């Protein structure tokens, strides 16, 4: 069983010397190689630099079973989170046990060698139940487990060759040994770590001040910049916010370092894991607040974990983790006293103010006031830069309908009206035009139509991400593909689906391109509405029928819808 290290002595790393690394890198070029996923790169970095001490590599099957069942490695050491290398079945089958494989980053750089000792197909539902508390896809890590992770796990020791490369905030990233050395140099003996994946507002600052005071310790703000909960504020914005808040702390007592951890949002187990990681980084105390690393609601609309489950589990294992917990209740603002206080210490009758995460997002998206008692003006400014109000964000209008239904004509009219308003660049991705420039090799099979629509979705999502307006006008006959496009775009901005519901009889009567006639004669195969399906959207944002209504009126209906969605400012 491994014992916790003294908090400032160097911690074992898995790297070989620079000289050996050079040699190994050349030899590893010949080995079978695995291109690591973003999450695996985060895990590997912390394995190699001692952040996951005492792990020596990706878990083998016996360790994995112990960790899943009772949070212990096979030798009894406390470890709550399975750190596994998931791969595809084909790759796993191509290997022999005992073989070395090269682990590469996404550019193909070799970061480490894994000596494969174990290979097995895990029972993912069991892992979900035991580690995350429920086999429920509403949990981001369970969703990842079932939908992103490969079917087979490989385990074995790691030989570290080089650290993953980071181009951003390099001066703010520290290995456990770099932090330990820093604390040694400054003579810091007691260090309380604050884990966060959110921008820091005044409540957080108050909480960290109090924690440092209570523990009589220096403060390490230790935000996660690897992977956090889907939908979180991106780490670039957050780090700019942290840097702004750092100025509010006394420099001699507080420091900040970025942690390239891939969170799992596993609540109580995650808190224990976070504690071990901070112990490895030389800290002596760790703040666990309300709903630590909470994943949000389950598919029945209830919380996955109780608000203080993480504190309870941490307390149970505190001695083994080797770190003292500083537990905190929810902090709220008491108006009469103009200060933050723990929610459970407040007497009745005083005015308590609080702004939830959802309310904050609403205020940002509508450009509403965010009071100074809640956050710092510098933080709000950064958040507003990243999340301008809806009327200045990018969005996509996605027309779908039969050939000849009027999609392109309305889309063109809409484009002109939006350009007349100005403010954001407008791009029209019309079905015919896309097929000429982006999808010229594709036909009209289901497979090809899906590729075509996904390409349109990708381009539209990039336009949306960069603050422009994308107008798409393909037939897009399949519901599932349209849903996939919606998801791609909604990650960056609003999606407005417009069903141009002109009946087929009217489209065929118009037959502007003469295609219906050819389709009826069997000269064009797989023609939508004649010899190929069209699945009408059930709940589009808007439905228009061009029979007997002029184009201008249809385009105006779209404009009204966009106004109603807050995407363009009304007159
Ligand atoms: S899809 O299903 O969304 O990929 O189709 P899309 O790219 O929008 O189709 C663009 C135009 O292709 C012409 N065309 C056909 N449409 C449907 N079925 C078949 N078999 C077919 N063959 C050619 C048709 O003119 C579509 O343009 P619109 O503007 O919709 O009339």
């Amino acid at each position: 069983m491994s014992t916790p290290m003294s908090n400032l002595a160097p911690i074992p790393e898995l790297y070989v010397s620079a000289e050996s690394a050079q040699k190994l890198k050349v030899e590893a070029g010949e080995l079978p190689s695995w291109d690591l996923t973003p999450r695996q790169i985060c895990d590997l970095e912390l394995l190699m630099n001692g952040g996951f001490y005492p792990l020596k590599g990706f878990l083998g099957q016996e360790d994995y079973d112990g960790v899943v069942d009772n949070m212990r490695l096979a030798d009894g050491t406390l470890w709550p989170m399975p750190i596994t290398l998931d791969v595809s079945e084909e790759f796993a089958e191509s290997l022999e046990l005992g073989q070395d494989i090269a682990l590469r980053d996404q550019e193909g750089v070799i970061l480490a060698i894994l000596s494969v000792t174990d290979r097995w197909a895990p029972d993912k539902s069991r892992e979900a139940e035991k580690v995350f508390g429920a086999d429920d896809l509403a949990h981001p890590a369970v969703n990842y487990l079932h939908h992103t992770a490969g079917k087979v796990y490989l385990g074995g020791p790691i030989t570290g060759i080089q650290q993953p490369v980071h181009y951003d905030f390099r001066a703010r990233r520290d290995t456990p040994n770099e932090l330990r050395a820093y604390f040694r140099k400054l003579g810091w003996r007691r260090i309380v770590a604050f884990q966060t994946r959110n921008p820091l507002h005044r409540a957080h600052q108050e909480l960290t001040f109090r924690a440092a005071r209570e523990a009589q310790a220096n403060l390490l703000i230790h935000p996660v910049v690897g992977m956090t909960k889907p939908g979180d504020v991106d780490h670039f914005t957050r780090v700019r916010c942290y840097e702004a808040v750092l100025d509010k702390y006394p420099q001699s007592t507080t420091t900040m370092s970025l942690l390239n951890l891939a969170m799992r949002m596993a609540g109580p187990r995650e808190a224990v894991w976070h504690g071990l990681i901070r112990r490895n980084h030389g800290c002596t105390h760790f703040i666990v607040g309300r709903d630590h690393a909470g994943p949000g609601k389950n598919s029945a609309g209830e919380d996955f974990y109780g608000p203080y489950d993480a504190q309870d589990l941490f307390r149970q294992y505190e001695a083994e983790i080797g770190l003292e917990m500083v537990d905190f209740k929810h902090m709220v603002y008491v108006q009469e006293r103009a200060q933050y206080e723990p929610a459970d210490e407040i007497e009745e009758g005083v005015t308590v103010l609080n702004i939830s995460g959802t309310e904050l997002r609403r205020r940002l998206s509508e450009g509403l006031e965010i009071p100074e008692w809640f956050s710092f003006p510098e933080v709000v400014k950064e958040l507003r830069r990243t999340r301008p109000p809806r009327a200045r964000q990018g969005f996509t209008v996605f027309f779908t309908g039969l050939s000849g239904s009027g999609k392109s004509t309305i889309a063109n009219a809409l484009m002109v009206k939006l350009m007349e308003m100005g403010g954001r660049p407008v791009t029209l991705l019309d079905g015919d035009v896309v097929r000429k420039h982006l999808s010229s090799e594709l036909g009209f099979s289901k497979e090809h139509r899906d590729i075509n629509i996904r390409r349109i979705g990708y381009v539209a999502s990039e336009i949306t991400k960069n603050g422009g307006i994308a107008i798409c006008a393909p037939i897009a006959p399949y519901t599932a593909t349209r849903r996939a496009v919606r998801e791609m775009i909604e990650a960056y901005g609003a999606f407005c689906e417009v069903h141009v519901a002109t009946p087929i009889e009217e489209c065929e009567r118009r037959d502007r391109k003469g295609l219906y006639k050819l389709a009826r004669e069997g000269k064009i195969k797989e023609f939508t509405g004649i010899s190929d399906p069209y699945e009408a959207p059930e709940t589009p944002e808007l439905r228009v029928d061009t029979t007997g209504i002029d184009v201008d009126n249809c385009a105006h209906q779209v404009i009204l819808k966009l106004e109603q969605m807050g995407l363009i400012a009304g007159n």
Side-chain angles (χ1 to χ4, degrees):
M1 215 159 127
S2 312
T3 44
M5 312 281 301
S6 119
N7 83 307
L8 297 182
I11 198 160
E13 298 184 346
L14 304 180
Y15 292 111
V16 291
S17 67
E19 202 182 311
S20 314
Q22 207 46 43
K23 204 164 138 261
L24 269 183
K25 207 167 188 174
V26 176
E27 290 167 17
E30 306 278 306
L31 296 175
S33 64
W34 175 252
D35 295 338
L36 296 158
T37 63
R39 186 165 104 172
Q40 292 168 347
I41 293 179
C42 292
D43 286 352
L44 180 65
E45 177 168 345
L46 287 161
L47 279 171
M48 294 194 295
N49 70 16
F52 286 169
Y53 175 85
L55 302 193
K56 296 193 172 62
F58 287 101
L59 295 186
Q61 193 170 1
E62 213 188 327
D63 282 333
Y64 166 80
D65 284 336
V67 168
V68 169
D69 285 338
N70 55 27
M71 309 208 303
R72 291 190 184 280
L73 301 172
D75 71 358
T77 306
L78 180 69
W79 190 267
M81 197 57 64
I83 305 298
T84 48
L85 187 74
D86 59 285
V87 299
S88 64
E89 285 171 298
E90 304 77 56
F91 182 72
E93 277 161 19
S94 72
L95 302 173
E96 304 280 331
L97 286 187
Q99 189 165 12
D100 283 353
I101 62 172
L103 301 181
R104 295 175 188 262
D105 72 8
Q106 297 194 320
E107 279 175 31
V109 176
I110 300 175
L111 302 178
I113 293 174
L114 169 73
S115 305
V116 182
T117 55
D118 293 61
R119 171 182 50 195
W120 75 103
D123 178 345
K124 291 190 175 179
S125 294
R126 172 173 159 261
E127 182 178 329
E129 288 282 354
K130 296 265 185 180
V131 178
F132 304 109
D135 191 13
D136 183 336
L137 293 174
H139 192 299
V142 175
N143 190 34
Y144 184 96
L145 187 62
H146 286 296
H147 291 150
T148 307
K151 289 211 162 93
V152 181
Y153 289 172
L154 301 179
I158 290 289
T159 308
I161 293 179
Q162 70 163 73
Q163 293 192 37
V165 182
H166 299 288
Y167 297 105
D168 56 335
F169 307 114
R170 294 171 75 127
R172 294 272 186 207
R173 295 174 185 267
D174 304 281
T175 67
N177 280 329
E178 284 166 347
L179 269 188
R180 284 170 176 243
Y182 179 79
F183 298 150
R184 262 199 317 270
K185 186 170 171 190
L186 295 189
W188 291 9
R189 285 280 167 269
R190 294 164 70 88
I191 302 111
V192 59
F194 181 59
Q195 136 82 35
T196 182
R197 44 168 265 269
N198 285 310
L200 296 186
H201 302 299
R202 286 189 193 268
H204 302 106
Q205 199 207 20
E206 182 58 34
L207 186 151
T208 52
F209 268 150
R210 281 177 180 242
R213 216 178 304 140
E214 209 169 281
Q216 294 185 314
N218 290 95
L219 175 66
L220 169 68
I221 301 173
H222 210 195
V224 171
V225 295
M227 291 169 73
T228 61
K229 194 172 150 194
D232 278 349
V233 176
D234 68 273
H235 83 265
F236 298 103
T237 306
R238 282 191 290 117
V239 177
R240 291 195 300 270
C241 291
Y242 300 140
E243 286 183 332
V245 178
L246 205 57
D247 291 344
K248 321 270 175 205
Y249 288 89
Q251 215 189 345
S252 56
T253 63
T254 304
T255 191
M256 174 177 75
S257 178
L258 307 179
L259 179 66
N260 197 38
L261 173 70
M263 289 180 71
R264 314 302 210 246
M265 310 311 300
R269 273 197 188 225
E270 182 119 356
V272 173
W273 187 40
H274 287 176
L276 291 167
I277 295 167
R278 271 47 184 233
R279 177 204 70 196
N280 291 340
H281 283 78
C283 302
T284 53
H285 294 72
F286 183 58
I287 301 173
V288 183
R290 184 180 177 275
D291 194 25
H292 188 98
K297 306 269 183 221
N298 65 19
S299 49
E302 289 151 8
D303 290 332
F304 275 94
Y305 315 115
Y308 297 106
D309 286 2
Q311 293 183 354
D312 293 342
L313 195 75
F314 200 107
R315 199 168 290 115
Q316 217 178 311
Y317 291 96
E318 202 169 25
E320 266 183 281
I321 300 170
L323 198 77
E324 252 178 70
M325 172 168 71
V326 183
D327 54 344
F328 263 96
K329 297 285 190 296
H330 191 41
M331 301 288 289
V332 289
Y333 185 75
V334 180
Q335 193 174 29
E336 284 80 357
R337 294 192 280 272
Q339 64 180 13
Y340 279 89
E341 294 175 18
D344 62 331
E345 288 175 17
I346 294 166
E347 74 277 16
E348 269 183 38
V350 293
T351 321
V352 163
L353 302 179
N354 196 14
I355 292 183
S356 67
T358 316
E359 173 63 11
L360 175 64
R361 279 190 290 277
R362 186 186 76 86
R363 290 187 184 209
L364 286 170
S365 78
E366 294 178 21
L368 300 174
E369 193 226 335
I370 295 165
E372 282 209 28
W373 62 260
F374 176 75
S375 195
F376 304 97
E378 299 89 332
V379 171
V380 173
K381 190 171 145 221
E382 279 303 335
L383 293 176
R384 287 201 199 281
R385 272 178 65 200
T386 302
R387 254 183 170 273
R390 276 198 137 201
R392 281 199 277 125
Q393 282 173 24
F395 65 89
T396 292
V397 181
F398 191 93
F399 290 94
T400 167
L402 297 170
S403 173
S405 57
K407 304 181 298 290
S408 311
T409 325
I410 307 172
N412 266 297
L414 176 67
M415 176 173 73
V416 172
K417 283 177 187 288
L418 289 170
M419 287 170 81
E420 184 187 352
M421 288 178 190
R424 282 170 286 197
V426 189
T427 306
L428 177 58
L429 298 162
D430 189 30
D432 275 335
V433 179
V434 168
R435 283 201 170 257
K436 196 159 152 204
H437 296 291
L438 267 185
S439 296
S440 55
E441 85 287 17
L442 299 180
F444 288 88
S445 64
K446 172 164 192 317
E447 191 197 352
H448 277 194
R449 286 181 196 261
D450 282 352
I451 296 173
N452 182 42
I453 298 307
R454 282 173 185 274
R455 282 183 191 166
I456 295 175
Y458 173 72
V459 177
S461 74
E462 285 293 307
I463 292 169
T464 304
K465 180 170 88 184
N466 293 311
I469 301 174
I471 305 174
C472 313
I475 297 176
Y478 298 108
T479 308
T481 326
R482 290 192 304 259
R483 192 182 309 125
V485 169
R486 177 186 287 273
E487 281 170 14
M488 278 159 88
I489 286 157
E490 284 184 342
Y492 302 115
F495 183 77
C496 177
E497 185 177 44
V498 182
H499 178 205
V500 184
T502 314
I504 184 142
E505 299 73 28
E506 176 64 14
C507 300
E508 192 166 0
R509 192 189 60 72
R510 294 179 191 163
D511 204 6
R512 290 178 52 190
K513 300 179 186 165
L515 296 175
Y516 280 93
K517 183 165 172 293
L518 295 174
R520 287 284 180 205
E521 290 166 7
K523 291 184 184 150
I524 301 181
K525 305 271 180 273
E526 300 174 314
F527 194 83
T528 308
I530 304 290
S531 46
D532 223 46
Y534 178 79
E535 300 168 2
E538 280 176 15
T539 50
E541 273 70 16
L542 180 68
R543 211 185 297 277
V544 292
D545 177 347
T546 60
T547 322
I549 302 181
D550 65 34
V551 176
D552 193 64
N553 183 316
C554 291
H556 191 64
Q557 286 185 46
V558 182
I559 294 280
L560 290 178
K561 185 76 213 173
L562 297 174
E563 257 178 39
Q564 193 194 34
M565 290 171 77
L567 296 168
I568 48 182
N571 293 321

